Amino acid sequence: IPATFFVAVANGVGLSYDQLKAQYWIRQIVQAGFEVGIHGINYLNYQEMFQEFDLFSSFVDQNPVGIRMHYLRSNENTFNNMGRLGYHYDASKFEVRDPYPFNGIWEFPVQIMDSYLMSNNNRWQDQKFTSVQDKTKQALDTALEANMNYFSILLHDFYFSDAFKTYKNWYLWLIEYLIQNNFTFVNYNQALVELVREYEESS
């Protein structure tokens, strides 16, 4: 399954990565053939965002193409600064719509986030598995009714564990459900290439 992994190189609320371990796993992800981007922590000003961008680039000898902000946080300057830094896309908004150009980059809205799906209060799991399935199908149906071409799903990898059985079972069920219903899997960069080509051909 094509996937994009967002890895932090700074620490924030509820997140503490050792930089050497982050560097190791970023390189492992790239070597395995997957796309990797920044799980952004700093969003308040350009200099702090640049430090993350620069450090990540030194880990893989290339600039990151995409970013997703921790807790999807932003302020009035965040997205403009992403464009200034050279990101090609961002996935830090929660909207029911297809990707779109925004402040010089492409915005990929998120439609499903595991922690939101599992909870009514966005913190603790309080949903039954059948309820989670129904909410997932409803979100997919809403996207299809809106004639959306892309649907973004956010899974936190530490939930893919028997310690979080409902999360893991949901994700395995979702993959099978999407396959059975003839959905095509792409990572963000693959979708970006498609979108840029279509955008240039229509201009």
Side-chain angles (χ1 to χ4, degrees):
I1 303 298
T4 302
F5 292 79
F6 294 97
V7 182
V9 295
N11 293 326
V13 178
L15 189 152
S16 180
Y17 285 176
D18 179 273
Q19 287 187 354
L20 290 177
K21 289 181 180 178
Q23 179 184 34
Y24 172 81
W25 284 109
I26 287 169
R27 289 177 174 174
Q28 290 295 311
I29 292 166
V30 171
Q31 289 174 11
F34 291 96
E35 182 194 3
V36 61
I38 286 187
H39 189 99
I41 301 298
N42 297 308
Y43 67 96
L44 294 173
N45 64 68
Y46 178 84
Q47 188 57 40
E48 290 179 343
M49 293 173 68
F50 171 77
Q51 290 171 359
E52 289 180 83
F53 182 92
D54 190 53
L55 182 60
F56 183 99
S57 300
S58 72
F59 286 169
V60 291
D61 299 321
Q62 66 184 52
N63 291 338
V65 173
I67 183 170
R68 168 175 287 142
M69 280 295 173
H70 191 41
Y71 289 118
L72 309 184
R73 296 182 299 179
S74 66
N75 68 6
E76 65 276 8
N77 299 314
T78 301
F79 300 102
N80 183 57
N81 286 334
M82 288 175 181
R84 289 177 61 196
L85 285 165
Y87 289 107
H88 294 195
Y89 73 83
D90 165 66
S92 302
K93 293 187 176 185
F94 211 92
E95 301 174 289
V96 181
R97 61 181 295 188
D98 265 330
Y100 56 94
F102 183 68
N103 278 13
I105 63 175
W106 280 82
E107 188 64 40
F108 281 84
V110 177
Q111 281 78 52
I112 286 183
M113 183 190 295
D114 50 11
S115 54
Y116 287 5
L117 189 69
M118 297 287 174
S119 173
N120 282 323
N121 59 20
N122 293 337
R123 182 157 183 164
W124 308 114
Q125 180 188 325
D126 57 14
Q127 301 291 296
K128 293 181 179 178
F129 185 66
T130 52
S131 175
V132 172
Q133 287 177 304
D134 290 341
K135 288 164 69 175
T136 302
K137 291 176 182 178
Q138 183 178 17
L140 287 164
D141 288 343
T142 299
L144 289 170
E145 290 169 5
N147 294 315
M148 287 172 52
N149 294 307
Y150 298 92
F151 190 89
S152 183
I153 299 166
L154 193 165
L155 172 77
H156 294 86
D157 60 335
F158 61 83
Y159 285 139
F160 194 74
S161 162
D162 289 339
F164 300 94
K165 196 69 173 177
T166 303
Y167 284 84
K168 182 178 179 180
N169 287 346
W170 165 76
Y171 192 64
L172 292 171
W173 164 82
L174 176 57
I175 296 297
E176 290 299 324
Y177 182 82
L178 294 172
I179 291 171
Q180 291 168 6
N181 286 275
N182 299 315
F183 285 86
T184 301
F185 296 90
V186 295
N187 64 30
Y188 283 109
N189 198 48
Q190 290 170 328
L192 180 68
V193 170
E194 294 175 0
L195 287 161
V196 170
R197 183 179 64 247
E198 293 170 1
Y199 186 78
E200 290 175 349
E201 288 175 353
S202 65
S203 297

